[in-house]
Amino acid sequence: MDFSFTDEQSMLRDTVASYLADNYSFDQRRAALKAEPGWRPDVWKAFADELGILGAAFSEEQGGLGGGYTENMVVMEELGKSLVVEPYLQTVVIGGGFLKHGKPAGADELIGKIIAGEAIIAFAYAEPQGRYNWADLKTSAKKDGSGYVLNGHKAVVIGAPYATHFIVTARTAGGQREAEGVSVFIVEKSAKGVTTRDYPTVDGFRASEVYFENVSVGAEALVGPEGQSLPLVEQVIDEAVGATCAEACGVLRRLHEGTLEYTKQRKQFGQPISSFQVLQHRMVDMFIQLEQSVSMTYMATIKLEDPAEERAKAVSAAKVQLGKACKFVGQNAIQLHGGMGMTDEMAIGHYFKRATMIEGAFGSTDHYLARYEALSLGKVA
């Protein structure tokens, strides 16, 4: 199987890497996180105007560069290397995924705004009781004339503090955990009845608890078929998991490189600790975990275009590998740095925090291992 990149994809990688090297240093990131609004709108605008990467995964007919899953993977890995908090995953991967697959009214217009950097999307899907069951929904959307009225609470909505639109999962029919009756809506953050409680996350991102109280939306807000959108939700989340695995590869690479560099500088008994054989073995194990993660991520990205079951199996396998790698590489990086590795002044601790959050993103390692097992045994669709 060919894992090589096209010249255009390699150029995209180099472009993003070069921009971030010049404009997104660790100190610049720290300063931005400590100030309001907690991210850098100027960087987001540069992503749109200067680099054009917000359109990399959209078709040329939609105003994009004609790319797809691989382009998202390339961008996300570079964003992971610099711990970028700007909402590419939420807006381009997730928001773009729902717009491309669900084809709601006004999709092309909203995609155009995404590409221009004018629309920012946050995915409001998780609920306090839901765990990793995307059909476990208390948020409701009841018919009201030709439109709907939404009520409910969504938890830990990443990127919500600076979003312009929410993509919301809600129940239009059926019981709380039934597969039937799940629908998806686009809701403007400025809509009457939408309130948020914002807070920072441990890895430097911003999130919100989002509340919908009698929020009225028109029929055009519906994404995909009413009450039949669970497969669409699962597809887009699988795409988001694949992109998150790519981000994790970037994080793991920096964890390994940073640890290797530090052990060459840190001396004990008059010599660098990198000369100690037991530590050499440890860093080789870290490198193996990284390379296995890269390969699994590439395979999952290729499989995103396959039928649902094959796609889900590949993504689940990659998420299991990345979850184990994030834990192993992250913990060993901190151990080899010692206590100073967790100080705010050292980058390695920030990479460890992001790796830890990625390990649980969209579901834990145990959850995806159980999902892979069930898919392999034919127990779930």
Side-chain angles (χ1 to χ4, degrees), residues 172-191:
T172 50
Q176 181 178 323
R177 297 178 179 86
E178 292 181 11
E180 299 290 325
V182 176
S183 300
V184 179
F185 298 88
I186 298 176
V187 181
E188 293 187 12
K189 185 180 179 181
S190 59

Side-chain angles (χ1 to χ4, degrees), residues 341-355:
M342 286 303 295
T343 60
D344 187 65
E345 291 76 14
M346 288 198 70
I348 206 74
H350 295 257
Y351 282 98
F352 174 65
K353 290 176 183 177
R354 182 58 189 149

Side-chain angles (χ1 to χ4, degrees), residues 15 18-20 22-23 42-53 115:
T15 299
S18 177
Y19 175 83
L20 294 176
D22 293 339
N23 299 277
D42 61 311
V43 170
W44 189 252
K45 195 64 177 172
F47 284 177
D49 298 340
E50 186 178 334
L51 279 69
I53 63 172
I115 294 172

Side-chain angles (χ1 to χ4, degrees), residues 83 203 248 251-252 255 322-323 325-327 329-330 349-360:
L83 294 179
D203 54 349
V251 173
L252 292 172
L255 282 166
L322 266 297
C326 283
K327 185 174 183 178
V329 177
H350 295 257
Y351 282 98
F352 174 65
K353 290 176 183 177
R354 182 58 189 149
T356 301
M357 293 295 283
I358 287 174
E359 183 186 350

Side-chain angles (χ1 to χ4, degrees), residues 65 69 85 180 185 232 269 291 296 311 314 343 360 363 372 380:
L65 302 181
Y69 301 126
V85 299
E180 299 290 325
F185 298 88
L232 172 63
F269 307 116
E291 290 302 305
M296 294 290 282
R311 177 199 75 223
T343 60
Y372 181 85
V380 293

